[in-house]
Amino acid sequence: MTTLADPVPGGRPGDLRRVAELTANLAARGVRGIVLAYVDTAGVSRVKTIPTARLESAVTWGIGMSPVFDTFLAHDSIVTTDVLGSPDGDLRLYPDLDQLTVLAGQPGWAWAPVDRITQEGARHPGCSRTFLRRIVADAAARHGLAFKAAVEVEWAVGLASAPDGEFVPAVTGPAYGAVRQVELSDCTADLLAAFAAQGVEVDQIHPEYAAGQFEISVGTLDPVAAADRSVLVRQTIRAVAARHGLRVSFAPAVLAEGVGNGGHLHLSCWRGGANLHAGGEGRYGMTAEAESFLAGVLAHLPALTAVTAPSPASYLRLKPSQWAGVFTAWGRETREAALRVVTGTAGRQDQDANLEVKPVDLAANPYLALGCVIAAGLDGITAGRPLSGEITGDPARYEPDEAAALGVRRLPESLPQAVEEFRADQVLWDALGPVLADAVTAVRLGETAVVEGLDDARVAAAYRWTY
Ligand code: GLU
Ligand code: MG
């Protein structure tokens, strides 16, 4: 379990007791430096690195970094809000030792996610990891709920030697095809070895639909650890691929046309060790609370899109009939509904039943995405919101009256539309707090301005290697 305690100047007590031994251990394993990782509002993984010998100082006093990154755009220009984006100020990055991992794909390096606090020791309201820790702590305190989560990761493998930022698939062959598996055999085996060494539990890895595309599913964790893991998984895939002369893209749309890269969230609510998505009186074994949780997520989904699909390139992926889930609908194992109810196989349902949220991509900051989806679901539980009727098949084929009867609505088709929905959503605004909500709005509008006048192919190219 992730510790939900905020860092404090002088260090968290538990950390101080173990850091010297940990540092000696890392040094003995040949670890020379530690990557301190966080994800900015735009969804870009940013880092600072320190020599291993500085770890004790980092967990005691943090490492300095400007708060300006909260309003960085994906291409490094900067927008401003009332309180963010100025060149003034400094924050302290505190690594989470529970998540510290020796990187098998980057010999000599270890990795840890960070929380950011102010120099005075207060929570930084722009820190997305702190935000998710708070949402999870509040859910435990107010609702007695815990969650299990996982982020699916899809990516496209290209040749590092391709000219001018172009995407040249590194493998051939059909979707889900054995040809691809064979062609990427060595790299994938190294990847599995790296994950095993890093203690990342892999459920499955397979060739996906689009050219050069693969997907990995990993085991569930508490939401903060699951978000950390999704960052670590991508860092590992990128590093191992680079050692094979390959370049990977987690961008929502590597090319303007066709199926994109998703970052579906899997989430289940638990109370006292019981999964609320199984063994209940509701549909497919859901408890009344699980149904209301789904209803809450569905109700906020158009606004959530500004968080879960945050890039102009996200809207090249969010198209009907491409398994990206672009309609406000739910269904059992329905891959065209935004919410897919996964019941699990007979005999495992109490463990495996969960909710899959599909209109999420890997440009999304996973801490913001999980925190906002949970806040939306909790709003459904608080309000006792009833869940609409389920759908089957592809809602793109529904007649308008059929769609209206089931509350099936197309999600925003552009980033500005999503921002409009987001701005009107008080629940998400309250959950994020004004500083983070303003940052989300400013960054999305900034990205929108960046792509003004660009055609789809240029938008895809602009974000192809950013995420
Ligand atoms: N690639 C699809 C997406 O963009 C998902 C395919 C799948 O269901 O795994 O979400
Ligand atoms: Mg997939």
Side-chain angles (χ1 to χ4, degrees):
M1 282 292 290
T2 303
T3 167
L4 296 178
D6 292 322
V8 288
R12 295 180 182 103
D15 286 357
L16 295 182
R17 275 198 298 278
R18 60 179 163 155
V19 68
E21 193 183 325
L22 189 58
T23 305
N25 205 302
L26 291 172
R29 291 176 67 183
V31 174
R32 305 198 187 283
I34 300 169
V35 180
L36 304 181
Y38 73 97
V39 184
D40 71 14
T41 317
V44 175
S45 283
R46 310 241 179 219
V47 299
K48 276 212 164 174
T49 74
I50 53 169
T52 304
R54 286 271 292 164
L55 184 60
E56 180 159 357
S57 165
V59 303
T60 315
W61 303 113
I63 296 293
M65 193 160 193
S66 165
V68 78
F69 295 95
D70 293 321
T71 50
F72 254 49
L73 302 185
H75 295 104
D76 303 339
S77 55
I78 303 166
V79 293
T80 55
T81 68
D82 290 352
V83 290
L84 294 171
S86 109
D88 306 333
D90 199 38
L91 295 168
R92 310 304 296 176
L93 312 182
Y94 276 78
D96 185 338
L97 291 185
D98 289 336
Q99 302 298 335
L100 192 128
T101 306
V102 177
L103 293 174
Q106 292 178 252
W109 289 97
W111 174 98
V114 297
D115 292 294
R116 295 177 294 154
I117 62 172
T118 70
Q119 283 177 312
E120 288 68 40
R123 278 178 176 171
H124 171 50
C127 177
S128 59
R129 192 172 190 271
T130 302
F131 158 70
L132 180 56
R133 283 192 298 104
R134 178 171 55 74
I135 293 286
V136 170
D138 284 357
R142 290 195 199 155
H143 299 270
L145 287 178
F147 304 92
K148 289 190 183 178
V151 182
E152 284 182 13
V153 172
E154 293 185 332
W155 73 98
V157 190
L159 298 176
S161 55
D164 302 329
E166 278 176 31
F167 172 65
V168 177
V171 290
T172 63
Y176 313 97
V179 172
R180 281 196 211 173
Q181 196 279 325
V182 172
E183 288 181 354
L184 208 69
S185 184
D186 290 348
C187 177
T188 316
D190 283 355
L191 205 45
L192 289 175
F195 285 131
Q198 291 175 189
V200 172
E201 185 196 351
V202 174
D203 286 347
Q204 52 169 299
I205 183 166
H206 64 266
E208 253 287 344
Y209 193 91
Q213 194 181 34
F214 284 77
E215 172 178 334
I216 188 167
S217 326
V218 295
T220 56
L221 296 166
D222 71 78
V224 181
D228 292 339
R229 180 143 294 182
S230 117
V231 179
L232 174 65
V233 162
R234 284 176 268 168
Q235 174 106 7
T236 306
I237 292 170
R238 195 184 299 287
V240 171
R243 291 164 78 82
H244 287 267
L246 302 170
R247 193 176 192 192
V248 299
S249 171
F250 301 99
V254 178
L255 301 169
E257 300 296 326
V259 170
N261 288 323
H264 305 173
L265 304 181
H266 286 267
L267 195 57
S268 50
C269 309
W270 295 69
R271 178 176 288 113
N275 184 353
L276 301 188
H277 299 257
E281 302 286 303
R283 283 158 279 180
Y284 304 115
M286 284 187 277
T287 62
E289 280 183 307
E291 285 207 356
S292 288
F293 188 87
L294 260 73
V297 178
L298 264 185
H300 293 283
L301 211 47
L304 281 167
T305 310
V307 176
T308 62
S311 168
S314 300
Y315 297 83
L316 302 174
R317 163 183 173 258
L318 279 187
K319 303 255 177 71
S321 312
Q322 296 192 167
W323 291 10
V326 300
F327 293 96
T328 59
W330 73 276
R332 184 190 183 200
E333 303 290 8
T334 301
R335 286 170 176 76
E336 287 298 346
L339 304 190
R340 169 186 168 209
V341 166
V342 181
T343 50
T345 183
R348 294 268 320 161
Q349 295 175 334
D350 57 337
Q351 288 305 305
D352 292 349
N354 72 85
L355 166 67
E356 181 180 43
V357 185
K358 293 175 80 75
V360 186
D361 62 47
L362 299 168
N365 174 316
Y367 305 95
L368 295 182
L370 278 164
C372 287
V373 167
I374 290 171
L378 291 178
D379 179 58
I381 289 182
T382 305
R385 196 181 268 275
L387 181 61
S388 54
E390 71 181 298
I391 66 139
T392 53
D394 186 350
R397 306 219 169 113
Y398 283 22
E399 296 298 332
D401 56 335
E402 200 182 355
L406 291 165
V408 173
R409 211 188 121 191
R410 176 79 161 86
L411 288 175
E413 294 183 44
S414 70
L415 191 51
Q417 273 180 27
V419 171
E420 212 171 295
E421 299 277 358
F422 175 75
R423 276 180 151 159
D425 193 309
Q426 197 60 44
V427 168
L428 295 189
W429 208 268
D430 289 347
L432 287 162
V435 173
L436 208 36
D438 275 345
V440 167
T441 308
V443 168
R444 304 296 176 264
L445 293 178
E447 297 294 356
T448 303
V450 165
V451 299
E452 178 89 47
L454 297 188
D455 64 16
D456 289 354
R458 288 228 166 104
V459 171
Y463 292 91
R464 182 173 294 143
W465 305 113
T466 309
Y467 308 107

